[in-house]
Amino acid sequence: MEQFEALEQIHTPIWIYDFDQQSIFWANSAALLLWEAETLTELLNRDLKTGMSQAVKTTLDTYRKQFELGECFRKWWNITPKQIHKRVLCDFSGVELEEGRLAMLVHALSEESYLRSNLAFSDGSNLSLLFDQSGYLLSANDAFQQFYPIALTHLSTLTGSPQRADKWLTEAQVRGEVEKETNLTINDQSYNFRIIANWVKNKNQLLLQLTDISQQKKQILAAQFEANHDCLTELYNRRGLLTQANSWTQTQHSFHLVFIDLDGFKMINDTYGHGQGDTLLIAVARRLQQSLPEALALARFGGDEFVALLPVQESLCEKLANINQLLRAPYQLRSGITVSVNASLGSTTFNSQEPLPVETLIQYAGYAMHKAKKQGKNRYQVFTSDLAQAISRKSQIRHYLSTALESDQFSLHYQPIFCCQSGKLYGAEALLRWHDDTLGNIPPAEFIPIAEDSGQIVALGDWVIQHALEQLSQWQIRDDQEFVVSINVSRIQLHSGFSTRLAQLIERYQVKPSQIAIELTESCMVYKMEEVKQWLSELSQIGVKIYLDDFGTGYSSLSVLQQLPIDVVKLDKSFVQSSQEGGLAIIQATAAICEKLGLAVVAEGIEEEYQKELLCQNNYSYLQGYLFSRPIPAKQFSQRYLL
Ligand code: C2E
Ligand code: CA
Ligand code: CA
C-alpha cells in the first residue's frame, strides 16, 4: 500500500476498488468521510458484494475492459454508504496493484450536493440497465429505480416500440458499443438521455448506461432562445434575425427586408414611463405578428426598431402602406391611456443573383427608413439605386471632409443684407464655401449636415467665427455706420463654453460685439429649452445679436419668440418664394407677430422685384437675396459695398 501513500496528500477523496475482491483496497482520509467510515480498516472490510445489482456488476466489468485498453473517464457515480445516498463526480482510471492485478482508481472530484446549483444536470447519471439478448430486463441499478419508477420488464417499454428495441439490440450486437442521444418517454414524461449501449459478448447481454440530460437540454434550448430573441417581445433580436436571414439567403431566391421604426416613441416613454413604453412595444410586436403571418422572421433590434423578413411579393408597397396603417391604430395602454404612434418604414430586397450580405441589407433598409422619416415620418421608402448613390456620395464627402480643414479648403462668402426703407446696406451673412480638387464645389446644404453628424462642425464652426471676426476687423467700417456680420451656428456648437469662446475671439480681433449676430435655427431652440435660454442670455450679455433663422419651418415658433432673447427673425425663403396664398398669409402673420413683440424681420431669398415690393409693403425691416447679390468673396464684397 506504500505505493499509494503519496495520494494521501490530496484533499479530495481517492480510493482504489479491487475488482476481484469486490471491495475497497485502499482509501485516503478524505474518502473515509465520503464513505461514512470511522477508520480505514472498517472501510476495507466493508461488504460491497451483497446487494450489488447485476447491472452494477456488469458496469464494473465494462469499466475494467476499458481500463485494460488504457482508457479513463469522468462520470457521476452513486454510492450509498450506511443508507446515505450520495452522488459524486468521479474520475475513473485503471491502476496496477503490486501483484500485477488491475484495480480501479476513483478520484471523487465533487459531491453533487455542492455542484447541483452550478451544473446543468441534476437528475440521474450513471444509470445502468441490463437486458438479455431478447430485450428482457435482467437488472436495474438503484439509481435508476429511484429516479424512474416504472414497471420495466422489456426494453420495448423504454424505447416505445418493439421495433426500436430490436434495432437497439441488433445495433449493439453488431457494433459492440453504440453511443447516442435520444428522447424516451417514461411514465408519460419525456426525457433526454445520453446512452452508451454495450454488448456483453460472453453473456449475450445488453448493458445500457444512461445519463439524463433533460435539464441540460432544456437549459441549452433556453439559452439558445435567449441569445437569439428579444426578451421583451419574444421576437428575434438582431443576432437571431441575422441567423435567420443568413439561412434564408441560402434557400430563397429573394425576399424583402423591412425596417420599421416608430415615430415619437421616445415621447411616449418620457410621458408615461418605461413600463407603458414596454407595453406599447409588445403590442406593436403582436400586431406585426398577426398582420404578417407570411413573415419569414420578425425581430426587434432594441428601442423602437423592428425588422421583418417577408417573402417576395409584387404588392410590396401596398403591404408597407398596410403595415403603416395598422400600426397607426390607437393602442390601449394602462386603463384610461390610449396612444397613437406612427411608423416610418424602409425596405430593401435580397436577390440571389446579386447577393448582398445581410448586414448590408439591414443598413440599406435602415437608410431607406431614415429617408422616409426625413420626408415627414409616417411613410415608407423602398431602397433605390438613387438612394445607394446618395449614400455613397455622403460617405465620400464624409471622407474628404475629415481632412478639408487642415488642407485649408474652406472660405467664407458674404451676402449683403439691406435696409428695406432706406435701401442702405445693413450687414452681411457669412456663408461657408468648400472647394475640394476632386469633388469640386460642395454646397453647404450638403456638407454641413454631414459635419454635424460627425461632430466636425464644432471645429469647422470655430474656424468660421475666427475668420468672420478677422474679416470684420479688417474691413474699414465707419464709426457711424451700422453693419452687422451674421454667422450661422449649428445646434451642436452651442454649449456651455460657447459664449466664453466667442468673447475671447471678440477680444482677440478687437471687434464690436454689436457688429456680430449669431444665426440659430428654431430647431436649436426647442430641445433643452432651459439650457438654451441660459446660453442665449449669456450671448446677449456679451452684446452680440441673436437671429432666429429659417423662421416658419420648425415648431413652436411663437413660444420661442416670446421666451428667448431674440433680436431679429429671418423668415425662411420658402415663404418669400411661394406663389401660394399660404405663403402670403405667413409673410403677413410673421410681420404682425414681430411687430407686436418689437422684433425686426429679415426676408431672405428675394429674387424678384415684385417680392421686394411685397415685403416692403408688409413692413419687413431688412431684405436679402439674389436680387441684390449672391454671396460673394470678402474682397469683392468690400469693393462693392464698403468703399
Ligand atoms: P441659410 O442660413 O438659410 O443661408 C441662406 C442660404 O440661402 C444660403 O445658401 C444663400 O446662398 C441662399 N440664398 C440667399 N439668397 C437667395 C436667393 O435669393 N435665392 C435662393 N434660392 N437662395 C438664396 P448657402 O450658402 O448654400 O447655405 C445653405 C445653408 O448652409 C445655410 O442656410 C446654412 O444653414 C448652412 N450654412 C452655410 N454656412 C454655414 C456656416 O458657416 N455654419 C453653419 N452652421 N451653417 C452654414
Ligand atoms: Ca442663415
Ligand atoms: Ca435661412
Side-chain angles (χ1 to χ4, degrees), residues 75-78 87 121 123-127 143 147 210-212:
K75 276 183 197 299
W76 284 96
W77 189 250
N78 293 287
R87 277 167 50 70
F121 42 113
D123 276 323
S125 93
N126 114 268
L127 307 161
F147 289 120
L210 304 91
T211 308
D212 187 339

Side-chain angles (χ1 to χ4, degrees), residues 192-211:
N192 280 94
F193 284 103
R194 185 175 301 127
I195 300 180
I196 300 172
N198 278 298
W199 190 254
V200 189
K201 258 197 198 138
N202 51 354
K203 293 182 179 158
N204 272 343
Q205 291 169 343
L206 172 72
L207 175 70
L208 295 186
Q209 289 169 274
L210 304 91
T211 308

Side-chain angles (χ1 to χ4, degrees), residues 415 429 432-433 444 488 490 549-550 573 577 605 607 626 631:
Q415 188 178 30
E429 179 174 5
L432 190 56
R433 295 293 175 259
N488 292 285
S490 291
D549 204 359
D550 301 346
K573 55 179 175 290
Q577 292 169 351
E607 294 180 359
Y626 292 171

Side-chain angles (χ1 to χ4, degrees), residues 412 415 429-433 443-445 448 452 457 461 464 487-490 493 519 521 549-550 570 572-573 577 604-607 624-627 629 631:
L412 287 179
Q415 188 178 30
E429 179 174 5
L431 292 157
L432 190 56
R433 295 293 175 259
I448 296 273
E452 286 176 339
I457 194 71
V464 170
I487 301 166
N488 292 285
V489 169
S490 291
Q493 288 173 260
E519 292 199 9
T521 57
D549 204 359
D550 301 346
K570 293 185 82 169
D572 190 69
K573 55 179 175 290
Q577 292 169 351
E604 295 189 275
I606 298 168
E607 294 180 359
Q624 178 185 355
Y626 292 171
L627 178 67
S629 168

